[in-house]
Each structure stands twice: as C-alpha cells, then as structure tokens.
Amino acid sequence: MVFYGDSITEQRLYTSDVEEFELTRFPESKVTFIQAGVGGDRVSGGRAGPVDLRIERDVFAYRPTVVTIMLGMNDGYSRPHVPGIFESYKDGYRHIVDSIQSKLPEVRLTLLQPSPYDEVTREPLFDNGGYNAVLQRFGEFIGQLAAEKHVQVADLNSQVVDALVKAKAIDPAFSTTLIPDRVHPGNSVHWLMAEALLKVWGAPAIVTSVTIDAAKPAVGNNANAQITELRKSKGSLTWLETDQALPLPLPSSDSDPFVALAVHASDLIEALDQETLRIYGLAAGKYELRIDERSVGTFDHDQLTFGINLALLETPMLQQARLVAFDTERRNEIEKARAALIQQDMNAIARAAASGLSEFQERAVEQQRKDARPVPHRYSLSFLP
C-alpha cells in the first residue's frame, strides 16, 4: 500500500495511524506500507523530481494493490481562487490518476480531498472564503473525478473542520495548537484524518464485544474474543480472555491533552474504538475490575449491565497496542531514511546503504507483527462491600 502526497503525508502520521489500525485490528493480516510523501510537492512534482519520475519510482516500483493520493495544499499557492491555477491542478491530478490506472489497472485507488488550512481557530488568510475555500474547491473536483474514474474518495477536510469548530468552542486558545502552523496537523488531527479514510474503507468500530451472564454464569454473544475458564465464587467472577484485536494506541489524556481535545471534539471513539464488556445478572453494588491482577476501574452494577468501553481504560491490551505503535514509529524512521536515499541519484555506497536499510525494515516489520499477536488475559470482577 502506497500513500502518495506532499508534506502532510510526509509527516508519517495519518499514514502511521492507518498502519497501526491494520496491525492492531487485524493482527494476522500482512500489509506492506509505503509513505511516499514529499514536502512541497504539487501535482507536477517537486524537489524529489517531476511527477512522472515520482510516480514511477515512488509508486510503480512497489507494485502496490492500494494507493491513496493527497495533493492540493501547495497547488493553490496560498492565493484566492485563480481559474488558471485551478485548471492546472485538475489537469495534473487527472494525469496522476490516469497514469496509475493505466500502469496498475487492478489497483484499489482512493483519492483524498485535501486536509484543511486552519481558518477556524484563526482568522482567514484572505477574504472571499479564505484559503480553505480554495482547498474545498479542489476537493469538489476530486470527488467528481473519483465518481468518473469509479474509485473511492475520502474527505479529509470537513471532518477536521467540524472538529476544529467544536474544539474552539471547548477551549478557544488551546484549539489553535491542533494545527500549529495552520497547514501541518498535529498527531491528534491526523487521527481524525485516518478515521475519515478508514471509514470509507469500511473499517469496523468493534475491537471486541463481550457479554457475560453473571447469574449462571455463562458467556453470551461475543465478537473477536474467546472466553474460557469462566467461574463464579462468592462475590467474584473470573475468566480467561483471548482477544483477536487491540484498541487504538491512543495516549492517555493526561499525557497528551491534544489528543484528548480532538477525541472530545469528534466521534473517533464511537467510530473506531469500541472494546465493550457487558456483564448482567449482578447484585446491586460496586465492583472492581482487574485484568492480570491490575485494577483497571471500579463500576456499579448499572454501568456493567449497560456496558463499559475498555478502550478508554489503562488496560494491558492498550499497553500492547502502544508497543505496536512504538514499533511502527521505529519502522517508519527506517523507511524515512531509506526513502531519502532512493529519492536521489544514488552511487554504489548509497545503494548499499539503502539495501541495508531494507533488511532493517524487514526486521522492524517482523517485530510489529510479533508484538501485535493476541495474548490471553486473566480477568476478575469482585464485589466491593
């Protein structure tokens, strides 16, 4: 899978989020991810070469089965709408799509409507709708082209704008930090961009869903989880659970207030991070839930009957997901170094270095997949007198 784009793709953030989702939600799948973003790129190319060289070297060379394209932030030249500039953008974008479909006729192509220039938390760059209105016009064209070419399209603009509006209402000053330079989103906003793309691909909201009847005790309808050794004793319920997926590797709200604000201003959790546990048939009162002998929370019987979302708690599963995210960051740093070498005229030494980095990258991928494998966890729910 190749992500093609400019510096926003080169940030390796929304792309890493998609990669982490695939690893944690489908740990048995094997997808190779390539981030082919170059800062300053336009539909005509840029510092890493003209567009035909770029797509030959950075897309076709990998024979991808999936390609995404996000370009536009640089193509408007930070100006109000100029018909000639818009026509050049349309012609250049269409050329990229035609080239990819001609060379890779079976490829699954998703066009990404450009992420916004932030004119929500700060004043517009100019009158007549501001620069984001130009990007939205680009996005409208991309939507029309996607329909014409029978490919998918994801809107990475409006969902982020909606979140910025809500974040500004919550905390006007802090909301300006979500896209610090108005162009390059922080990690929290990249999660919203990844969400927009993943939803177009039909990504499931469910991590796991477990239902237990505590009165019998018995296991109810479950998804992505295997429950064994379910036992009931006086005041407690225990079981062994092996999940087939992990929650999103989001940082805690205490450690990353940026992500906390973005999550609060969006539907990210509802859309992609539902790790539900429902236990009914409990006596009235409060209960402590422990996983692997570690307390993860105290809940009353009504909360447990309704269901709790474990993805929002500091669980061993979340710790494992964060380890996978760390592995992904390390793999991306290796790929970044390798890409810097191949995007220039390489001598023999540079080619040898690129080859060596490829080997390191393969090991990093192995570590990602190893750390994403499901492991069993011991649960206990105890009545608190």
Side-chain angles (χ1 to χ4, degrees), residues 170-382:
I170 295 168
D171 191 329
F174 194 52
S175 66
T176 63
T177 64
L178 296 177
I179 306 182
D181 63 358
R182 307 179 78 171
V183 172
H184 299 94
N187 180 52
S188 59
V189 173
H190 274 274
W191 268 111
L192 306 186
M193 294 159 57
E195 177 196 347
L197 176 56
L198 287 165
K199 286 197 293 190
V200 167
W201 288 343
I206 294 176
V207 181
T208 59
S209 177
V210 172
T211 301
I212 295 175
D213 181 348
K216 291 185 177 180
V219 179
N221 294 326
N222 297 320
N224 286 346
Q226 181 181 15
I227 310 297
T228 58
E229 301 180 25
L230 177 62
R231 297 186 178 93
K232 179 182 179 181
S233 59
K234 186 175 182 180
S236 69
L237 192 69
T238 62
W239 68 94
L240 189 68
E241 179 172 331
T242 303
D243 298 335
Q244 299 306 311
L246 296 170
L248 297 183
L250 299 176
S252 68
S253 57
D254 293 335
S255 65
D256 194 331
F258 303 99
V259 170
L261 180 59
V263 166
H264 190 51
S266 72
D267 67 343
L268 178 65
I269 301 301
E270 290 77 10
L272 294 179
D273 207 18
Q274 294 294 304
E275 188 181 17
T276 58
L277 172 63
R278 178 174 176 255
I279 304 176
Y280 61 93
L282 293 167
K286 288 192 173 293
Y287 294 81
E288 180 188 32
L289 178 65
R290 301 179 71 88
I291 304 177
D292 297 340
E293 302 301 325
R294 173 182 173 180
S295 178
V296 297
T298 301
F299 312 93
D300 63 39
H301 68 284
D302 286 333
Q303 289 175 298
L304 291 163
T305 300
F306 180 77
I308 58 175
N309 186 2
L310 296 177
L312 302 178
L313 306 176
E314 291 294 320
T315 66
M317 299 82 77
L318 180 54
Q319 289 181 336
Q320 184 181 354
R322 288 174 180 160
L323 176 59
V324 175
F326 173 80
D327 294 339
T328 302
E329 181 179 352
R330 182 173 58 180
R331 188 203 70 78
N332 271 283
E333 286 301 314
I334 297 171
E335 189 200 344
K336 181 179 179 180
R338 177 180 170 275
L341 288 171
I342 66 174
Q343 288 174 352
Q344 57 182 301
D345 294 328
M346 294 193 296
N347 56 28
I349 295 176
R351 284 194 293 271
S355 177
L357 287 172
S358 295
E359 294 179 9
F360 278 115
Q361 186 168 335
E362 289 175 5
R363 295 178 195 171
V365 169
E366 290 176 4
Q367 190 66 48
Q368 283 179 295
R369 292 173 178 163
K370 177 182 177 181
D371 289 338
R373 290 172 189 158
V375 296
H377 298 284
R378 179 70 62 180
Y379 284 64
S380 67
L381 185 70
S382 302

Side-chain angles (χ1 to χ4, degrees), residues 100-133:
I100 292 174
Q101 289 192 318
S102 175
K103 188 69 174 273
L104 303 171
E106 301 301 320
V107 75
R108 178 178 174 182
L109 190 60
T110 303
L111 311 184
L112 309 183
Q113 295 170 315
S115 60
Y117 183 86
D118 180 13
E119 292 169 318
V120 173
T121 71
R122 282 154 286 194
E123 291 298 315
L125 185 60
F126 43 73
D127 294 333
N128 301 319
Y131 189 53
N132 196 48

